[in-house]
Each structure stands twice: as structure tokens, then as C-alpha cells.
Amino acid sequence: MAVTDVAGRSTAELSLVPSLFVSRTMKALRRADPPPADERIGAIIRAARLFATATVSGLSAEAYAHMVSRVGGVPITVVRRALRTTAERLSQVHESVQQARPVGAVHDWRDPVTRTGSAVWARRGEVFSVHAAGNHPGTHSLWPQALALGYRVAVRPSRRDPFTPHRLVSALHTAGFGHDQVTLLPTDHDQADSLVRGADLSLVYGGDDVLRRFAGYPAVLPQGPGRSKILVTADVDWRAHLDTIVDSVAGHGGTGCVNTTAVFVEGDPAPLCAALAERLGGLTGLPPEDDKAVLPVQPASTAQAIEAFLRHTARGTRPWLGSDGIVEDLGDGSAALRPTVHQLEDPDAPQAGVELPFPCVWVAPWTPRAGVAPLRGSLVLTAITRDASLIDRLLAEPTIANVYVGDHRTHFMDSRLPHDGYLGEFLMRSKSVIRD
């Protein structure tokens, strides 16, 4: 199948593998034994250097960044940054996976402490499949942790960005991993389920439909919309944190699950809306490969469909930015998605839960009486507040994955910290071992 860029021009060909190939590959992964842990870690570190700097499968790092930018519509500076941060996270993969290991568990049953009894950290399976995302290349910094832990891994690339997983898997092969340890399996949607069936555990990215589809599947870790939010209480002046709020909304092109989609403010939200509209309104559209590009780009028809959805969704809200349209035609069949700011009447408005793939933010009033309820379902919640009891309640809320207190962007990430929990929590378990 043809992979087209944002202007509709054919850029590459993606071959989809048939069901028999998928079945044979998954069986080969299952038959293979993982290399020793030190060899795995060393190979991942070598792959990190190759991924970041080398010519891999005929593409230099800069040619790769240009390709991802033109096809996915992600600003090229975002792709370059993701190239660097992915390599950094891979080079720290040993430390990353150890962060998830319980302090009472050891790596290996041969550890002397098991003679008197100890927990041992062990894999929950042998084969791991990944249904990759295409909205941001940085998502591929996570799944190599499974390789570090001894899993054999099959990656199904997104058609929007097949280049990042291809480059990473190719770098891992060059660094020493066999094709029976990690492999790329482009498939159609009908064959995608066979990867889940053939694996012991799976990581699946997608929208709300994916979350509903795999709800209750203990062997599947679904990664859906982030719906990340910011809360500003009355004991803090939001003006001192405007830079953080703006960058949380629009940083990285506003395409990530950790970008802010809703801001809740105690008091009148209108002044904050006005300030956001002024700052975000200065962002203009450029081709994604332009070094000055900051907004995501889509095929013009896709951008128009997003705009139509937004117009329907935003009925009954007060627009501060974007009321005259969000589509900026770039003249080649593609269009940039310009930011939009909408004020909501109350914190429970359904629009606060709408996440779109560009800098789109809903601003709502909040009161202590509203409590935690409007903030539920957040991958990241930045709470700009001095209310310690409120922070306690936010941390106790099970549907809020991460709580950043104070002046911290919602898209802040660190390889030592969990994203939506540690991946190792899903991949591993503790077993009691005692031996003579």
C-alpha cells in the first residue's frame, strides 16, 4: 500500500504481511530464547546510538526526520527532539526497568538471598506485541523495555508513521538482536487481532474505541486518549504560570496524549481565555518540514473534517480563538491546524473530555464544591495550587494517572518516572523463591 505525505503524494510503499506470515513469525518468536540480560542491555544501548545518528536502511537521521514530518504532519523540530529523547531513554533502559522492580524482589533466583527466601521478579510471558501509535514518534521509546526484560517483541506499525518503528527495529537488528527477538509486522486491521492472540501480552494504542474493545482483557494494556488537564486554584495567580499553560497546550505541536486539553480555573475563566487566545493566536501554519513550524499539518480533507467535528462539538460554548475556522490551507493539498480556545459554562461540560490532535483547549470554571469529579480520566493533571488536602484527593483518585504539583508542563516526561504506570508493572510479577 502507498504511504502518502500530507499533500497526498506517494512517499513510500508499505507491504502488509499475510496471516500465514504473522502466524509463523509469532511461533518463531515463541521458540526463541532471549539473550542474557547483559547482552540485551548492551544491544539496546548500541541501537540507541544507531537510531539517533546513523544511516539506517538507507535513511540518515535527517532524512528520516523529514520523512516522518512530511507524512505524519508533525513539525520537524518535534521529530528531531523525539529522535534525541528516544535514544536517551533507550540508553537508560536498564535504569528505567529497574524503577518498576519492587524493592523486595531480586533479578535472578541465583541471588544468594533466595537461600533464605526472597521474591524474584519474573516475566508474565514470553512474547509481547505492540500496536503502535502514529501521532508522535516518541511513543516508541517505551516498548524496548520489554526487550530489556527478555520478551520477544512484534511491532505492528501505524500507517501514519511506519518509519520510526522500522528505523528502531532495524537499529536493534544491526546492534545484535535477531529477527526471532524483535520484528516489524505491518498488517491490515483484520490481521491485527492475530498479533494479540499470538502474544502473551500486548500494548495497544488507539482511541476510545480501542479502550472499549479491550476493556476487561488482562493481557492487553490499552493506551487511549490522555485528556491531560491543568487545575489552577484561587490561591495562585495564573498569570505567573501562563507560559507553562500555553506550552502544555501547544508544545510538541499539541498532538500528544500529555498535551493539555482542558484547563480548570477557580474564579472567572474569561481573563485566562483571553490571555490564551492572545498567545496561541500568534501561531501560524507552515509546512511541517519547515524549521519554524510549530503546528501539526494534515491533508486538507482531514483538516476540514476535524474542523467540522469541532464546530459541532463546540456548540453552546464561548469561542475566544478559532471561531472563524482552524484550517490554514498551505496551498499543496495540506493544511495546518490552528489553535482554538473555548470557554465552558461549568466544569462538568462534556466538551472538557474532548481531545483533538492539535492545540485545542477548553477552559472551564472550577470550585471546591465541584471537587475531583471534573478532573477524572486524566493521564496527567498539573495542579497549580497550595491546597494540600486537594492534592491528597487528586492522588487518591484512581483515574488520574500522574499528578504534577505546581509549575510543571503536562508533557514533562522522564525515563525514571511512570507514564501510565510503569510498563514493567504490566510485564512482570514477583514470585516467592526459597532454595537449598
Side-chain angles (χ1 to χ4, degrees):
M1 62 168 287
V3 177
T4 57
D5 70 3
V6 290
R9 292 187 291 264
S10 181
T11 302
E13 289 288 331
L14 181 64
S15 298
L16 303 181
V17 298
S19 59
L20 180 60
F21 189 93
V22 173
S23 176
R24 288 181 174 177
T25 301
M26 298 302 282
K27 289 178 181 177
L29 295 177
R30 191 167 296 283
R31 287 194 300 267
D33 292 322
D38 289 348
E39 292 183 19
R40 299 195 302 266
I41 297 300
I44 292 173
I45 293 172
R46 291 193 297 274
R49 292 194 293 268
L50 294 169
F51 179 76
T53 62
T55 295
V56 179
S57 298
L59 283 181
S60 66
E62 184 58 23
Y64 150 80
H66 184 275
M67 190 82 76
V68 172
S69 181
R70 278 301 303 173
V71 171
V74 181
I76 195 167
T77 54
V78 175
V79 180
R80 290 177 184 140
R81 188 183 305 121
L83 189 71
R84 296 190 300 270
T85 57
T86 296
E88 290 167 2
R89 289 169 187 163
L90 293 182
S91 67
Q92 299 165 359
V93 69
H94 177 69
E95 293 82 359
S96 297
V97 296
Q98 293 313 307
Q99 290 294 117
R101 180 171 58 90
V103 294
V106 296
H107 299 282
D108 195 306
W109 67 269
R110 298 171 183 83
D111 192 297
V113 301
T114 60
R115 294 191 182 279
T116 55
S118 174
V120 175
W121 213 34
R123 288 189 297 276
R124 293 180 56 211
E126 298 296 334
V127 179
F128 183 58
S129 73
V130 181
H131 291 233
N135 62 309
H136 194 292
T139 58
H140 290 280
S141 65
L142 182 62
W143 62 257
Q145 292 184 16
L147 272 181
L149 292 167
Y151 279 86
R152 277 72 74 207
V153 180
V155 181
R156 178 181 182 265
S158 164
R159 298 183 189 185
R160 187 177 174 190
D161 177 17
F163 308 106
T164 300
H166 180 264
R167 181 176 180 84
L168 182 49
V169 170
S170 298
L172 289 163
H173 288 160
T174 301
F177 280 101
H179 289 261
D180 60 354
Q181 297 292 323
V182 59
T183 189
L184 195 70
L185 287 178
T187 70
D188 59 23
H189 289 292
D190 291 338
Q191 294 302 321
D193 284 351
S194 63
L195 266 72
V196 174
R197 291 193 300 269
D200 298 309
L201 300 172
S202 297
L203 175 66
V204 179
Y205 289 88
D208 287 323
D209 57 330
V210 169
L211 295 181
R212 289 190 294 268
R213 183 178 179 184
F214 291 106
Y217 281 60
V220 176
L221 180 62
Q223 298 287 284
R227 298 188 174 93
S228 297
K229 303 175 182 69
I230 292 176
L231 170 65
V232 186
T233 57
D235 58 353
V236 177
D237 185 355
W238 59 261
R239 294 168 184 81
H241 305 279
L242 184 59
D243 287 348
T244 293
I245 299 171
V246 169
D247 193 52
S248 292
V249 172
H252 302 275
T255 63
C257 57
V258 288
N259 279 107
T260 297
T261 56
V263 178
F264 296 83
V265 57
E266 186 176 2
D268 183 6
L272 176 55
C273 287
L276 286 172
E278 181 180 2
R279 292 282 296 273
L280 294 173
L283 303 181
T284 58
L286 291 168
E289 72 277 14
D290 192 303
D291 286 341
K292 296 180 181 179
V294 293
L295 296 175
V297 175
Q298 295 275 4
S301 59
T302 302
Q304 290 160 4
I306 292 172
E307 182 178 73
F309 175 82
L310 176 64
R311 287 187 185 280
H312 175 77
T313 302
R315 289 175 181 171
T317 71
R318 180 183 177 184
W320 284 84
L321 180 66
S323 59
D324 55 348
I326 61 168
V327 175
E328 184 172 347
D329 196 317
L330 298 181
D332 63 352
S334 68
L337 292 167
R338 292 178 55 81
T340 182
V341 178
H342 287 264
Q343 181 179 336
L344 306 179
E345 291 300 318
D346 64 77
D348 297 317
Q351 290 91 342
V354 174
E355 179 176 293
L356 293 172
F358 72 102
C360 172
V361 62
W362 313 91
V363 183
W366 179 90
T367 64
R369 185 175 180 180
V372 172
L375 309 171
R376 289 174 179 151
S378 303
L379 177 58
V380 180
L381 174 68
T382 288
I384 304 176
T385 182
R386 298 188 181 94
D387 187 340
S389 64
L390 174 60
I391 296 168
D392 287 337
R393 295 196 300 276
L394 296 174
L395 282 167
E397 169 53 47
T399 68
I400 299 175
N402 305 293
V403 177
Y404 298 167
V405 181
D407 196 61
H408 302 284
R409 289 153 173 79
T410 54
H411 55 65
F412 168 81
M413 296 183 71
D414 189 297
S415 61
R416 301 167 301 166
L417 301 177
H419 175 60
D420 189 2
Y422 286 115
L423 183 59
E425 297 174 22
F426 175 68
L427 297 175
M428 307 292 280
R429 61 171 292 190
S430 296
K431 296 184 178 182
S432 293
V433 174
I434 187 168
R435 63 187 179 94
D436 294 334

